[in-house]
Amino acid sequence: MGLSSGTIWYVNLSNGQSFSSNTSTITFTETNGSYTYTIGNVSGYKVSNQTGKITINGSNISISTTFKSSP
């Protein structure tokens, strides 16, 4: 089971940028380079691949994650 409809979640990049969404997608524009990311904690959920590294080189990229209810 994913996030409840309308739940706000965040992605934080190593360059200090932070992005949020209350839908299943976060879209943002960054300059070419490598960034680490952290998906913010959401109360009541565990997130897969909470941290990682992305490299932007002139094209779109997509990262998927899954939120699961935690007891």
Side-chain angles (χ1 to χ4, degrees):
M1 172 181 267
L3 290 175
S4 299
S5 179
T7 301
I8 296 174
W9 61 286
Y10 300 86
V11 172
N12 303 301
L13 297 181
S14 54
N15 67 354
Q17 295 287 327
S18 182
F19 305 93
S20 65
S21 178
N22 64 353
T23 67
S24 63
T25 303
I26 292 179
T27 303
F28 54 86
T29 302
E30 287 295 330
T31 57
N32 290 345
S34 293
Y35 304 88
T36 57
Y37 69 86
T38 302
I39 298 173
N41 293 323
V42 177
S43 181
Y45 293 90
K46 287 187 175 188
V47 62
S48 65
N49 65 312
Q50 189 168 17
T51 62
K53 184 175 181 177
I54 57 173
T55 300
I56 300 171
N57 192 16
S59 61
N60 295 337
I61 62 168
S62 178
I63 305 293
S64 295
T65 193
T66 303
F67 288 90
K68 292 185 179 182
S69 295
S70 65

